[in-house]
Amino acid sequence: MSRWLPTSCALCAQNCGLLVKVENNRIVNVKGDRENPRSAGYLCRKGQNIANFQHHAERLTKPLKKTAEGFVEISWEQALTEIGARLRSIVGTHGPRSYAFMGGGGQANHFEAAFGTSLMRGLGSHYHYNALAQELTGFFWCAGRMLGRQNRFPIPDEHQADMLVGIGWNGMESHQMPRAPLVIREFAKNPDKLLVIIDPRESRTAKEANIHVPLRPGTDALFTRAMIAIILQEGWEDSEYLDNFCTGFEEIRGWFENFDIHKALEVCHVDFEQVRNVCREMTSRSWCLHFDLGVYMNRHSTLATYLHMLLLAVCGRFCVPGGNVIPGAVMPIGSHSDERLARTWRTVETDFPAILGCFPPNVMPEEILSGKDDRLRAVVVSSSNPVRSYADTSAYEKAFKELDLLVTVEITMSETAELSDYVLPARTAYESYDASFFTWNYPEIFFQMRHPVVEPEPETRESGTILAAIGKAAGLLPELPDYLYEAGEKDRLEYTMALLTWLQRNRKYSKLMPLIIAETRKKGSESINLDALWSLFLVSPPSLKRNVARAGVVSSSKFGAFGNLRKILRAVRGVINYRSVAPLAILTPQVSFAEKLFNKVVESPSGLWLGKSGDDNIAELMTKDKMVNLYIPEMAEWIKEIQPELEEKALQQDADYPFVLNAGRHKPENANTLMRKPDWNEGRRTCTLAMNPVDAESLGIVDGETVKVITEAGQERIELEVTGEVRQGQVLIPHGFGLKYRGEVHGINVNRLTKNTHRDRLAATPLHRYVRCRVEKVGEGTLDVGRP
């Protein structure tokens, strides 16, 4: 018997809705889910091949422990007991800075992050490393300074725009917004709209564009400074917007006066008249900006992002319809972390602060290898594969071997799992209730709580329950009363009253709430993630209630005055017995809201528009003065470096490394590192070095030939692909390869060619889009040195 069941894709942040056909507990067919209001039936070939993600020969099914003879299967009890004891010993001896949590949900399973961070805080640590800090923290930092909160970042409102500008974005292949290829084509073909793509190469997206500005690799900051200078020189800025909604314009104006625009654009290898025309369009149209990894992972990453945000402000495009807006959210994807405050942790060896509550993976190897007593010594990795996903594989391998304890929670024997002391088998995205909190919609707010569509492997567990069990084994939980366990086997309402009564008397344990819920509900809950969803709605802030009511999802305007756990606990203060009617009477509006919203979400397996943002997006600013703050003092010295002469010198060709490597090309054939089974790409050309025909001819190499790519970090051999899409002097290698499956490595791991120290000075994001390299015929040049 077969069934078609709704779910979503777990291979990128768009999480497009899928309908999967299941027979004998296997996914046998996939199509787009037209009932999903966000993706409306759209899917790419990654989603079409999701069965290869779920069903393969290297699935983890039992806990594993590394021994002198290799990995051996052990019981869950033994694994948790040993891991807990070792964590207690390490943190007890060396302090909380010796522990870090890495991961937290990947592309689709975000509920586990609550349990991982709760375990981290229970051990006294703040060190959370994840992929957001590999890509986006410079952007989040700028949003924090200019708009008030790092987790209230702006997104393009393309639905209300008549011009879309993409910088460093190949949305036809990387997506990075819902239904991106359809949106791109609609802009390009609509005579009333305009698509402008600013990108060094003629990508698939650039080919669709009405205007393609092929700037020189690595010149984003110089180029954007020149654009702002043109606008101000011509008097095209939106003065009314700047006067009414912005502060700091007079402080930044001088950065663009007397700037040599023509020389700057000459260094950028672009035409002045073309750029001036684009600036004119920007100041006369309703436009929004999509900037992506081509900026975030390039030279001057955080500064270039800041300049792009200044460009938006000068044109009056923040928090207005069709501009870049602050979206609503079910839950922010991170916390605001102001590095100017003493309470914000910094890394010990490299001195980088948390941004959005996260630390940059680029610095972890140095933090482990520092030799200091409070160095990182124990790491729990969940839903992450740093040995393939992050810069400088060699540095990570060396560092991980020096750890006192490495635990990986995973669905497959990844390259990181192979280096671990313990490997714990998790359930996949299709075996559990789970969700994503990625926000990329306006004004609607989308949410989908995926249902399991296949039965899990018998000994696998939800990642959150694994992390919670580690916390219990590490001795983090206090002694819990019998009545809490008893209530945990009953319905959510009675359990909630019992939990709040206990927590009112034991507030110091509130940071362990996810671990306590997982422990006391383990016999009465179908999924700990469902309990987490209920808890999230119970403590939801007033803003979510307003957004939900605005969308008509829950029809009532009175949901109580409680917006956080502290207020709820205040409401039940003095209650002696949780079975008293007092707590329920006090919390009836809050509980009613949570129950109605919970049921609506669970009964909508294809997802739903959960809420809708208000019309006044300027009101979403969280700066002290409720204005867009244009001036960031830390940028003043950095921007002085962005001069044509200085940039020309910095960009001069290196005789040893004459090419610029784009280390992370998006293709339809690459996905995250959990898409390991290579069958989905059978017959396709997957992992190649893309090079311009003129460059290939100058080197005497031809399409299909194996060549050697050499960087400061190491070298790899790879098949050459000659294509006119690539700019002269630039070469590209896709990410997500070098994966081992059934003993065979497929493609090359591009992070063998990247240094973790080649990073942004403020956010430490890797500069993957500008890696100096040289290319040689196999057998020529020097000996194979520098490769582990």
Side-chain angles (χ1 to χ4, degrees):
M1 180 178 178
S2 64
R3 300 174 296 160
W4 283 97
L5 300 172
T7 183
S8 67
C9 181
L11 296 177
C12 106
Q14 299 316 306
N15 305 122
C16 295
L18 307 178
L19 284 176
V20 295
K21 187 177 183 180
V22 178
E23 293 180 356
N24 299 319
N25 207 40
R26 294 184 66 86
I27 297 172
V28 297
N29 201 356
V30 181
K31 59 185 178 182
D33 182 4
R34 296 183 182 276
E35 298 299 316
N36 183 296
R38 189 167 184 259
S39 57
Y42 173 82
L43 79 163
C44 73
R45 69 175 304 266
K46 295 179 178 65
Q48 290 172 334
N49 284 279
I50 203 70
N52 292 282
F53 167 94
Q54 173 64 30
H55 308 295
H56 57 82
E58 295 198 339
R59 179 69 192 279
L60 292 172
T61 58
K62 295 180 183 297
L64 302 174
K65 177 182 179 180
K66 183 176 287 182
T67 69
E69 289 73 39
F71 282 104
V72 297
E73 295 181 358
I74 59 175
S75 67
W76 274 106
E77 181 180 8
Q78 179 185 347
L80 294 170
T81 299
E82 292 180 6
I83 292 168
R86 291 179 69 175
L87 275 178
R88 284 197 307 273
S89 175
I90 292 167
V91 175
T93 302
H94 301 286
R97 289 183 181 271
S98 63
Y99 173 78
F101 172 57
M102 174 169 273
Q107 301 284 22
N109 293 25
H110 289 180
F111 274 103
E112 72 165 38
F115 301 92
T117 54
S118 185
L119 168 62
M120 175 188 74
R121 295 188 188 106
L123 291 168
S125 178
H126 294 190
Y127 285 143
H128 181 195
Y129 291 80
N130 73 7
L132 288 175
Q134 179 76 354
E135 300 176 349
L136 297 168
T137 37
F139 172 49
F140 297 145
W141 184 84
C142 291
R145 290 301 183 86
M146 295 181 70
L147 307 181
R149 289 292 184 276
Q150 293 170 357
N151 56 12
R152 304 283 285 152
F153 48 87
I155 67 168
D157 177 22
E158 72 277 0
H159 300 296
Q160 299 185 75
D162 61 28
M163 177 178 176
L164 174 60
V165 180
I167 303 183
W169 175 53
N170 183 18
M172 292 296 295
E173 295 182 308
S174 67
H175 293 78
Q176 307 302 332
M177 69 160 56
R179 308 169 73 244
L182 305 185
V183 173
I184 288 167
R185 291 192 180 109
E186 198 277 331
F187 264 88
K189 294 178 180 179
N190 189 326
D192 296 324
K193 295 189 177 186
L194 188 66
L195 174 66
V196 178
I197 296 297
I198 301 167
D199 195 300
R201 68 188 181 98
E202 192 179 20
S203 66
R204 280 187 61 199
T205 309
K207 288 180 178 180
E208 296 283 344
N210 305 113
I211 300 174
H212 172 214
V213 183
L215 83 167
R216 184 180 185 178
T219 60
D220 301 86
L222 184 65
F223 176 77
T224 310
R225 188 176 184 187
M227 290 183 79
I228 297 172
I230 290 172
I231 291 169
L232 298 183
Q233 178 178 288
E234 296 284 354
W236 292 340
E237 70 272 18
D238 190 332
S239 299
E240 183 179 356
Y241 180 90
L242 291 167
D243 290 342
N244 292 333
F245 302 117
C246 300
T247 61
F249 179 60
E250 290 307 315
E251 286 87 342
I252 69 150
R253 182 197 288 270
W255 296 345
F256 308 99
E257 293 176 339
N258 303 315
F259 182 70
D260 193 340
I261 297 169
H262 287 272
K263 179 60 177 176
L265 295 180
E266 182 182 320
V267 173
C268 295
H269 293 177
V270 293
D271 178 69
F272 171 80
E273 287 302 326
Q274 184 190 43
V275 176
R276 184 180 182 279
N277 289 338
V278 169
C279 291
R280 177 72 276 190
E281 295 286 354
M282 284 180 167
T283 53
S284 58
R285 283 178 175 265
S286 172
W287 68 278
C288 58
L289 176 63
H290 192 128
F291 41 120
D292 198 23
L293 298 184
V295 174
Y296 303 143
M297 289 187 165
N298 216 321
R299 298 178 66 248
H300 304 297
S301 169
T302 299
L303 176 63
T305 301
Y306 174 50
L307 287 167
H308 290 140
M309 294 176 78
L310 288 181
L311 176 64
L312 282 162
V314 166
C315 296
R317 304 310 304 157
F318 267 135
C319 301
V320 297
N324 283 57
V325 294
I326 301 171
V330 177
M331 184 179 74
I333 61 172
S335 59
H336 180 66
S337 308
D338 190 334
E339 80 283 358
R340 295 168 294 185
L341 301 178
R343 67 172 180 265
T344 301
W345 274 27
R346 304 182 76 96
T347 54
V348 174
E349 179 68 13
T350 53
D351 196 38
F352 281 96
I355 300 176
L356 201 78
C358 305
F359 289 89
N362 266 341
V363 308
M364 181 179 269
E366 292 157 272
E367 296 302 316
I368 295 170
L369 297 170
S370 72
K372 296 178 180 177
D373 184 64
D374 56 355
R375 66 178 176 85
L376 281 184
R377 297 170 179 269
V379 177
V380 171
V381 176
S382 185
S383 299
S384 182
N385 187 11
V387 175
R388 281 296 174 272
S389 301
Y390 299 145
D392 208 334
T393 298
S394 301
Y396 259 102
E397 289 173 338
K398 181 180 179 181
F400 276 1
K401 290 174 183 176
E402 295 298 315
L403 286 171
D404 296 340
L405 176 66
L406 178 60
V407 178
T408 293
V409 179
E410 195 52 276
I411 65 175
T412 188
M413 184 56 84
S414 68
E415 289 74 16
T416 301
E418 287 185 339
L419 297 178
S420 302
D421 299 296
Y422 297 87
V423 183
L424 305 179
R427 293 181 182 176
T428 73
Y430 301 104
E431 297 170 346
S432 57
Y433 285 95
D434 219 316
S436 160
F437 292 100
F438 288 128
T439 299
W440 201 276
N441 283 99
Y442 180 84
E444 297 88 355
I445 301 168
F446 176 77
F447 189 70
Q448 179 182 16
M449 190 70 176
R450 284 193 324 275
H451 293 210
V453 294
V454 294
E455 293 294 323
E457 293 289 336
E459 289 199 50
T460 60
R461 300 183 180 183
E462 289 179 337
S463 299
T465 63
I466 296 172
L467 295 165
I470 291 174
K472 180 184 178 182
L476 301 184
L477 298 186
E479 184 174 350
L480 299 169
D482 289 341
Y483 75 78
L484 201 51
Y485 283 98
E486 292 169 3
E489 297 185 43
K490 299 177 181 177
D491 62 50
R492 285 188 306 275
L493 295 180
E494 184 162 348
Y495 174 71
T496 298
M497 295 305 108
L499 179 64
L500 292 176
T501 302
W502 178 83
L503 197 58
Q504 170 58 40
R505 301 167 177 173
N506 299 274
R507 291 192 181 193
K508 64 181 179 180
Y509 296 117
S510 59
K511 67 182 178 182
L512 299 177
M513 276 280 284
L515 307 187
I516 291 168
I517 293 173
E519 167 64 15
T520 53
R521 283 281 285 167
K522 59 187 179 184
K523 292 184 179 180
S525 177
E526 180 182 2
S527 166
I528 191 61
N529 293 338
L530 289 175
D531 290 323
L533 179 66
W534 161 259
S535 302
L536 173 65
F537 291 155
L538 184 66
V539 298
S540 56
S543 59
L544 179 62
K545 298 179 179 67
R546 290 193 296 270
N547 289 336
V548 168
R550 195 177 288 117
V553 175
V554 175
S555 56
S556 176
S557 60
K558 290 188 176 181
F559 297 123
F562 312 119
N564 57 45
L565 182 60
R566 184 178 299 174
K567 291 180 180 179
I568 288 176
L569 292 179
R570 191 180 301 136
V572 298
R573 180 181 295 156
V575 176
I576 304 302
N577 184 339
Y578 84 87
R579 290 185 174 85
S580 163
V581 296
L584 188 57
I586 292 170
L587 291 174
T588 293
Q590 188 83 6
V591 170
S592 174
F593 170 78
E595 183 71 7
K596 289 179 180 178
L597 191 55
F598 177 89
N599 289 335
K600 186 70 174 178
V601 167
V602 174
E603 292 165 5
S604 305
S606 291
L608 74 163
W609 294 125
L610 186 71
K612 186 176 182 180
S613 298
D615 295 332
D616 185 7
N617 199 247
I618 285 287
E620 300 297 326
L621 292 173
M622 299 188 74
T623 49
K624 290 181 180 179
D625 56 10
K626 295 294 182 179
M627 305 278 273
V628 179
N629 295 173
L630 302 182
Y631 178 61
I632 302 180
E634 291 89 339
M635 296 287 103
E637 288 301 314
W638 194 349
I639 204 168
K640 290 178 183 178
E641 300 174 26
I642 310 303
Q643 298 287 349
E645 296 79 9
L646 295 176
E647 284 293 272
E648 181 64 68
K649 184 177 180 180
L651 293 163
Q652 286 179 354
Q653 190 178 66
D654 186 317
D656 292 329
Y657 301 108
F659 289 96
V660 173
L661 168 64
N662 179 326
R665 178 189 183 189
H666 285 285
K667 297 181 65 180
E669 293 82 18
N670 61 351
N672 64 37
T673 64
L674 291 180
M675 190 72 153
R676 308 183 69 80
K677 187 178 179 183
D679 297 29
W680 76 291
N681 278 326
E682 186 175 359
R684 285 176 168 258
R685 201 173 188 185
T686 54
C687 188
T688 60
L689 175 79
M691 176 181 278
N692 184 275
V694 174
D695 290 329
E697 183 178 3
S698 70
L699 294 174
I701 52 180
V702 297
D703 188 82
E705 184 176 353
T706 298
V707 297
K708 189 163 49 178
V709 183
I710 304 162
T711 69
E712 179 190 0
Q715 58 181 267
E716 288 287 334
R717 299 185 181 197
I718 187 171
E719 178 190 345
L720 179 69
E721 175 189 354
V722 178
T723 169
E725 292 184 4
V726 181
R727 184 189 182 97
Q728 282 183 244
Q730 187 181 39
V731 293
L732 295 84
I733 298 177
H735 59 277
F737 290 99
L739 304 178
K740 190 189 323 183
Y741 183 76
R742 307 195 77 173
E744 183 179 350
V745 177
H746 297 269
I748 73 157
N749 169 22
V750 73
N751 282 317
R752 287 277 186 207
L753 300 172
T754 60
K755 290 288 289 182
N756 68 307
T757 51
H758 183 52
R759 61 196 177 208
D760 182 69
R761 67 182 72 174
L762 190 147
T765 45
L767 308 184
H768 280 339
R769 298 305 188 261
Y770 200 92
V771 179
R772 301 273 192 177
C773 76
R774 69 177 180 270
V775 179
E776 298 176 351
K777 291 175 68 74
V778 171
E780 290 187 354
T782 59
L783 296 175
D784 285 355
V785 295
R787 180 180 177 182

